[in-house]
Amino acid sequence: MSDDRPDTSGDLAIRDPPRVLVPVEVLEGQTIPQTLVEFLAPAELVLLGYHVIPEQTPTEQASMQFEERARAAVDDIAAAVGDAHTDVETRVAFTHDEDRTIDRVADEVDATAVLLPNPAGDISEILVPLRGIVDVGRLADLVATLVDGDDKRVTLWDLTVDESTALLDQSERTLRDRGLTDEQIRTESDDVEFPTRAIVDRTDEFDIVVMGEGKQTLLTTVLGDTSERIAEGAVAPVLVVRRDRSEDGETDG
């Protein structure tokens, strides 16, 4: 039952300004839509240009072969987003396991969130699924930071199965405290059997999904994290707000 209670541990832990890690498969021609760049303007950006290499290929060999191209591609993307982000940090990595590399770099740069990019148009409708296992204070605080104008609307969608309104109440209160108006906030609550599928099915109604990262379990180790599975099926970009690692006894490095 405790998993259904809102986690408030990160209310004061979010960095200011927040830092968003943006992984880009640079040698596959992947880029960042300008509308996403503009949406993320209140945050610091770290561009991670990565390339997945075959298991039998040493990373040192790949670096010698591709690093110059990869760095040039990352620098081009950084230059393109420079108008909205005057200070963009860049990284390049060659990896056999992209998920592990993204997690490692996110830890190294103390990222508040990680963008799982999909094609994006104008961003005005934002879906925020709420689950009891995520840090809703941290999640709502980042949303409020990014929604810096009155042209954007946020739908807080409670997917917990109990009848408590604590998740919605806390998230809505955070948004209001940060200056969002009544017209910008919509709240919904549903008891769904398969939350991951339900979120994916609604991604075509919204311009971006902002969701919290859950706890790592054996099931997510085998099947993949919920946010990753949603990003794979979603038609909109997914911004994953990372949990506070200090609460897990994790340390940097």
Side-chain angles (χ1 to χ4, degrees), residues 168-206:
L168 281 177
D169 291 347
Q170 181 191 350
S171 301
E172 186 175 4
R173 184 170 60 252
T174 301
L175 296 183
R176 292 183 188 281
D177 288 346
R178 292 290 301 273
L180 272 69
T181 64
D182 292 346
E183 291 74 19
Q184 289 181 278
I185 305 171
R186 181 189 299 118
T187 61
E188 299 180 11
S189 182
D190 286 301
D191 183 0
V192 296
E193 185 175 2
F194 302 107
T196 299
R197 183 185 304 170
I199 295 170
V200 169
D201 288 345
R202 294 199 66 186
T203 57
D204 61 347
E205 303 174 31
F206 296 88

Side-chain angles (χ1 to χ4, degrees), residues 3-23:
D3 279 349
D4 289 334
R5 299 171 188 162
D7 181 354
T8 62
S9 60
D11 285 358
L12 301 178
I14 192 168
R15 53 179 301 124
D16 185 22
R19 180 173 293 169
V20 176
L21 177 66
V22 183

Side-chain angles (χ1 to χ4, degrees), residues 64-105:
M64 292 177 59
Q65 185 175 357
F66 298 116
E67 184 164 6
E68 187 173 344
R69 280 178 54 204
R71 288 199 176 277
V74 170
D75 289 344
D76 286 345
I77 296 174
V81 304
D83 288 342
H85 299 269
T86 56
D87 186 17
V88 181
E89 183 178 341
T90 60
R91 299 281 187 103
V92 171
F94 300 93
T95 179
H96 303 114
D97 186 334
E98 61 182 292
D99 292 340
R100 181 171 297 180
T101 295
I102 291 170
D103 284 343
R104 174 180 58 79
V105 175

